[in-house]
Amino acid sequence: MLYLIGSIILTSYLTLAFKVCERYRISIFQAIVFNYITCVITGSVFNGSFPINGKVVQTPWFHWALVMGVLFVSIFNVVGLTAQKIGVAVASVANKLSLIIPVVLSVYLYRETVAGWKLAGVLLALVAVVLTCYPTGKSAGSDTLPSHKKWEYLLPLILFIGSGLLDALINHVQKTYVTDENYNAYLISGFASAGTIGATVLLIQYARGKQMFSYRNVLAGILIGIPNYFSIWCLVRFLKESPWQSSASIPVNNMGIVLFSSVVAWLLFKEKLSQWNWMGIALSLLAIYLIAFGDSL
């Protein structure tokens, strides 16, 4: 249960950290790139050495780590593009609703069962996400643009599918390939893939003058990267040692993040929560309970 709590708190920290970056006008993209580089360094120090070598490259899980890295970078950018083109609320809902994808795949791939109160909890979780992320007051108007290009309507769908596949990929690899001996190498490989892609794009943007280097962006990346590494580390450990099936573990983790980050944002950033938002938070608690303990009711 400590790994679950760690995953929820550290992942929520990342969401809140990006809010701070916006407040201090830090380049989100640069912070993300330096975050991945920091993840690689953190994992290597934690592991005692840089684990990627010729032997690791030949392992069956290495190509999945590369795919995970591609998804890391892609999803971060799609989140930003969706928020910019369609709206922050839409981006949040699409990202969190993706929990349904690993649930469906767990039923199909691992013959897990989702029925009764557990199924009610999953469905309730979807409603809770929409209500918790529902914009209030001015934010509702500011998130709504008068018109969109046709391709922009695909962004929430791409974000929904991408986030869901990332969760499902992490779950599948930890079930199939990850052991106590190689899980740190797997994580570092994924972050190294993301860092390489991000750094390449960033260097091109530096050369074209579209980005300006600043040590503040590096510092932000470090402050995000260390917790980010351990958030994924805790998630993988939780999925491996969870007392529940993955069809329950992933929704509980995701709903915990929605719940915790919303309450902390309300306390620290004085974000206003409407009655709908509070109703969503209350439903989140009920959904977590039903998903985790529905089989025994």
Side-chain angles (χ1 to χ4, degrees):
M1 215 41 81
L2 287 176
Y3 295 126
L4 172 61
I5 295 173
S7 174
I8 290 173
I9 293 176
L10 292 172
T11 304
S12 299
Y13 166 86
L14 300 178
T15 303
L16 300 172
F18 284 124
K19 290 181 179 291
V20 175
C21 286
E22 290 177 332
R23 180 170 296 182
Y24 288 95
R25 296 182 179 180
I26 292 171
S27 169
I28 300 296
F29 178 68
Q30 290 192 48
I32 289 172
V33 173
F34 291 122
N35 138 76
Y36 289 131
I37 296 173
T38 301
C39 287
V40 174
I41 296 173
T42 301
S44 298
V45 172
F46 186 66
N47 184 60
S49 64
F50 183 66
I52 303 177
N53 50 45
K55 186 177 180 180
V56 166
V57 171
Q58 297 176 359
T59 58
W61 52 260
F62 184 75
H63 65 281
W64 290 117
L66 299 182
V67 173
M68 184 174 71
V70 172
L71 287 174
F72 276 152
V73 174
S74 302
I75 290 171
F76 263 128
N77 282 280
V78 173
V79 168
L81 198 57
T82 304
Q84 181 183 22
K85 298 294 185 180
I86 304 295
V88 175
V90 175
S92 298
V93 172
N95 194 17
K96 303 305 181 185
L97 284 181
S98 64
L99 64 87
I100 195 64
I101 292 179
V103 171
V104 172
L105 290 178
S106 293
V107 173
Y108 177 74
L109 295 175
Y110 315 122
R111 301 295 187 266
E112 296 183 4
T113 57
V114 180
W117 288 112
K118 185 177 176 181
L119 176 60
V122 172
L123 297 177
L124 195 61
L126 302 180
V127 178
V129 166
V130 175
L131 292 179
T132 304
C133 299
Y134 191 81
T136 60
K138 292 182 179 180
S139 62
S142 62
D143 281 347
T144 304
L145 298 176
S147 62
H148 304 293
K149 297 178 181 178
K150 290 183 178 180
W151 68 267
E152 292 175 353
Y153 287 104
L154 293 176
L155 290 173
L157 178 62
I158 294 171
L159 177 57
F160 171 81
I161 295 174
S163 296
L165 290 178
L166 176 59
D167 283 341
L169 172 63
I170 292 174
N171 180 54
H172 175 70
V173 173
Q174 69 82 23
K175 277 181 173 291
T176 309
Y177 301 110
V178 173
T179 64
D180 289 337
E181 290 73 30
N182 66 21
Y183 76 90
N184 201 51
Y186 167 68
L187 294 183
I188 294 176
S189 298
F191 285 124
S193 171
T196 301
I197 296 171
T200 301
V201 174
L202 183 57
L203 288 174
I204 293 174
Q205 292 187 345
Y206 280 153
R208 293 181 175 180
K210 293 184 177 181
Q211 292 276 353
M212 297 297 293
F213 177 81
S214 171
Y215 286 106
R216 289 173 31 158
N217 299 325
V218 178
L219 178 60
I222 293 173
L223 294 177
I224 293 172
I226 296 174
N228 190 16
Y229 174 81
F230 287 107
S231 71
I232 302 297
W233 184 87
C234 285
L235 175 60
V236 173
R237 296 294 296 185
F238 166 63
L239 291 175
K240 197 161 190 65
E241 301 182 13
S242 173
W244 310 305
Q245 294 179 328
S246 56
S247 58
S249 299
I250 294 176
V252 166
N253 180 73
N254 285 9
M255 292 308 299
I257 293 168
V258 172
L259 176 61
F260 186 80
S261 58
S262 297
V263 173
V264 172
W266 172 65
L267 291 173
L268 296 184
F269 296 98
K270 307 302 179 183
E271 289 193 356
K272 293 183 179 180
L273 296 177
S274 68
Q275 291 181 341
W276 291 112
N277 299 145
W278 283 113
M279 186 181 298
I281 289 173
L283 290 179
S284 297
L285 289 170
L286 179 58
I288 289 173
Y289 178 79
L290 291 177
I291 294 170
F293 304 108
D295 290 339
S296 59
L297 295 177

